[in-house]
Amino acid sequence: MARRAGDMLFLSGFGPVEDMEVVGDDIAAQTALTMDYMTAALKDERATWADVVRVNVFLLHMTDRDGFNAAYMRYFEDVPRMPTRRCVGAGDMYKGILVEIDAIAYVGDAT
């Protein structure tokens, strides 16, 4: 879900789920799918990853952090400044998904 509030765009609760089912067998696949969903939501609001200022990441297993980072960083290859990020371990994620991400972007006045 994406919601504008003034100059800010909030993306919440993105994960590797299609039709209420988990998609992707490993952290790399699940991260890429989640980031693709978020990329589409940003595009719908005329924003890009360069507009994102804060990202919160929830991993089912913190041991997946390296695999997550490898997939995540591909989305920021052409971004001049990385957003701030928090990455935490989370238990009992929806249907056992390995990753969930939310973000905040500065997009300018919505009017």
Side-chain angles (χ1 to χ4, degrees):
M1 173 180 191
R3 174 143 187 221
R4 275 187 186 255
D7 292 343
M8 307 304 291
L9 175 65
F10 297 85
L11 303 174
S12 66
F14 282 79
V17 178
E18 287 181 8
D19 298 323
M20 305 301 285
E21 295 299 323
V22 177
V23 180
D25 294 331
D26 60 25
I27 192 64
Q30 288 194 12
T31 299
L33 183 60
T34 300
M35 297 291 284
D36 287 347
Y37 290 154
M38 296 179 80
T39 299
L42 287 164
K43 185 177 179 183
D44 285 348
E45 295 292 333
R46 296 178 308 278
T48 69
W49 284 107
D51 300 310
V52 174
V53 296
R54 175 70 172 169
V55 176
N56 294 307
V57 178
F58 304 91
L59 297 178
L60 183 61
H61 308 290
M62 286 303 290
T63 54
D64 282 340
R65 187 178 174 129
D66 289 344
F68 165 80
N69 277 329
Y72 173 86
M73 292 303 292
R74 289 186 205 120
Y75 292 81
F76 293 95
E77 290 174 347
D78 297 324
V79 174
R81 294 186 66 180
M82 292 290 295
T84 62
R85 187 180 86 182
R86 174 177 67 166
C87 185
V88 297
D92 197 25
M93 303 259 278
Y94 177 77
K95 290 195 173 188
I97 61 173
L98 302 175
V99 62
E100 183 175 314
I101 305 172
D102 62 56
I104 301 170
Y106 176 78
V107 293
D109 190 4
T111 59

